[in-house]
Amino acid sequence: MTTERVLRAGIVGAGWMGKTHAEAWRANQGRGELVAVADMSEARAQELCDQFGADGARAHSSLEALLADDRVEAVDICLPHHLHAPTILAAARAGKHVLCEKPLCLTLEEAKAIRDGVGEAGVTYMSAHNNLFAAGLVEARRVLEAGTLGRVQYVRSTEAGHNANYKTRRPPVALAAGESSWDWRADPGKSGGGCVLDTGWHGAYRLLALAGSRPVEVAAMVSDYYIGVPGAEDTGAVLVRFENGATGYLFTSWAFGDPPGSFQFQVGAENGVLGGTATKVVYQLFGEQPVERELERRNTFAAEVEHFADVVTRDVSGLATWEHAARTLQLILGAYRAAEEKRTITLPEDPLSL
Ligand SMILES: NC(=O)c1ccc[n+]([C@@H]2O[C@H](COP(=O)([O-])OP(=O)(O)OC[C@H]3O[C@@H](n4cnc5c(N)ncnc54)[C@H](O)[C@@H]3O)[C@@H](O)[C@H]2O)c1
């Protein structure tokens, strides 16, 4: 009988996503376990260890202490955006595998340093692209790959909703009195942008996954209708041309989402059309009856942690690689430039240039 290799992880950042990821590690008992948590608030780190950690899980008050913890093989980064690049690099230097929340980082220079640092250390890097594991998107990609719909010619992806909590700074999980997960987002020096880089990141990597091709041109408009963070948009409309000729449209907003019942993503192809949500896919070949599939909702965070454990311990090829994330960053930074310069931007073959 073979025993399953269990990946020992440490989370850095015990806020909103830190808690969600801790639950996800707990849900993967037998494949992975949470052996440490670090946060500036050691009390918050301790709480996650107590609630979701393996026996003897340790709370640390700094990244350095967590990286020095021999039990930790992989670091799961749930920190504000400006800390992603330095933390990924420090973890790689310490020989730890890395799962990091979106976005990959804030600049293409940082993305290059991450590629080099992770490569030199010989560790695995995976971006926390949890929506790749939503049942609807998995099924849609299966249908597209089966080929009956033919060549993909149009893709649309929406990641949007009325974010009243951001507006009022009401924290999504309990932090200390006076602290809010929205505070660092309201500082463009820490968030790196607004809704397009933050929430829109999910819509952007979904768009790339559906198009199955690299983006070559981008045009965009950004607006602020509701949140009112100086220097950061709350709404973005982004048009993309892909190398395979497909046209893409990304809509993202903290002001409003699509009306209830709308598809979250949509594909127009040579032989038919497809639409989907997290739990549903509908497709129709031209002239035929639509095929509708209702799917069981998946915990996308638990699925993402399971995939990370598979990539590290079973050598499964990764879905949310550095390349996928760097291409997403190139598209989003290109969209910002397009909006600012009011023109269409060409996206070079090299994901590290614009
Ligand atoms: N996938 C999703 O759906 C989703 C949803 C929300 C957030 N996120 C991402 O998760 C990440 C974290 O966002 P959040 O909303 O959880 O933030 P948060 O503010 O709720 O939590 C951040 C935590 O990091 C800690 N921290 C900050 N600086 C630190 C440092 N130098 N050392 C140690 N700890 C430090 C804070 O004390 C806090 O506990 C971001 O990248 C965000 O984009 C993803």
Side-chain angles (χ1 to χ4, degrees):
M1 199 180 84
T2 54
T3 47
E4 192 65 75
R5 160 121 149 68
V6 177
L7 182 64
R8 298 188 307 270
I11 288 179
V12 197
W16 176 13
M17 267 309 107
K19 185 170 189 202
T20 304
H21 284 217
E23 286 171 351
W25 283 99
R26 189 74 181 170
N28 277 286
Q29 263 180 320
R31 295 299 330 285
E33 60 181 12
L34 188 61
V35 295
V37 180
D39 198 288
M40 292 190 307
S41 157
E42 201 172 333
R44 211 146 50 227
Q46 186 65 56
E47 217 173 291
L48 289 193
C49 285
D50 294 345
Q51 242 187 311
F52 304 107
D55 283 348
R58 294 186 199 122
H60 300 287
S61 58
S62 71
L63 169 69
E64 293 70 28
L66 181 127
L67 294 180
D69 187 332
D70 287 342
R71 291 181 77 195
V72 174
E73 297 174 277
V75 178
D76 178 351
I77 300 169
C78 298
L79 291 170
H81 300 168
H82 66 302
L83 298 173
H84 288 188
T87 310
I88 294 167
L89 289 170
R93 275 195 300 272
K96 318 282 187 189
H97 302 291
V98 177
L99 172 66
C100 183
E101 259 303 340
K102 37 60 61 170
L104 169 65
C105 54
L106 300 183
T107 65
L108 296 174
E109 292 72 29
E110 285 182 343
K112 179 177 186 312
I114 290 169
R115 182 196 63 189
D116 295 347
V118 165
E120 278 158 27
V123 296
T124 295
Y125 172 81
M126 177 174 143
S127 274
H129 291 176
N130 63 298
N131 282 281
L132 287 181
F133 304 94
L137 186 63
V138 171
E139 175 63 7
R141 291 177 83 183
R142 195 194 62 74
V143 170
L144 293 175
E145 274 155 28
T148 333
L149 285 171
R151 253 182 317 125
V152 170
Q153 294 167 328
Y154 170 70
V155 284
R156 177 183 70 73
S157 170
T158 296
E159 194 70 29
H162 183 68
N163 198 336
N165 286 346
Y166 191 161
K167 182 79 174 171
T168 60
R169 299 284 193 278
R170 184 164 164 249
V173 299
L175 300 174
E179 273 188 78
S180 170
S181 307
W182 307 115
D183 290 345
W184 60 264
R185 286 177 170 84
D187 175 352
K190 293 181 176 171
S191 64
C195 185
V196 178
L197 181 72
D198 189 326
T199 296
W201 185 276
H202 294 293
Y205 67 69
R206 184 189 297 115
L207 202 69
L208 300 193
L210 288 168
S213 178
R214 81 170 179 91
V216 293
E217 279 182 326
V218 58
M221 290 185 189
V222 296
S223 316
D224 185 27
Y225 294 120
Y226 174 58
I227 302 285
V229 173
E233 78 291 345
D234 71 16
T235 298
V238 180
L239 273 179
V240 187
R241 170 83 65 195
F242 288 92
E243 194 174 33
N244 63 3
T247 310
Y249 176 55
L250 163 68
F251 175 72
T252 187
S253 180
W254 289 321
F256 40 79
D258 288 337
S262 304
F263 287 125
Q264 184 187 41
F265 58 86
Q266 197 178 315
V267 176
E270 230 178 335
N271 306 326
V273 291
L274 175 148
T277 68
T279 56
K280 184 172 159 172
V281 166
V282 181
Y283 63 94
Q284 181 175 35
L285 289 166
F286 297 131
E288 295 190 16
Q289 289 301 310
V291 177
E292 196 165 328
R293 300 220 168 103
E294 296 284 349
L295 306 152
E296 207 173 308
R297 183 174 293 280
R298 288 179 90 191
N299 177 338
T300 56
F301 296 101
E304 146 191 299
V305 162
E306 185 184 4
H307 180 67
F308 179 58
D310 282 347
V311 174
V312 175
T313 66
R314 293 177 173 170
D315 219 15
V316 166
S317 76
L319 284 176
T321 57
W322 175 90
E323 283 77 10
H324 187 56
R327 205 54 94 184
T328 304
L329 182 68
Q330 183 196 38
L331 173 64
I332 288 173
L333 296 181
Y336 280 141
R337 183 184 285 182
E340 199 182 325
E341 298 179 8
K342 299 186 190 304
R343 66 185 180 93
T344 301
I345 299 290
T346 300
L347 301 175
E349 168 85 52
D350 178 1
L352 294 173
S353 49
L354 258 183

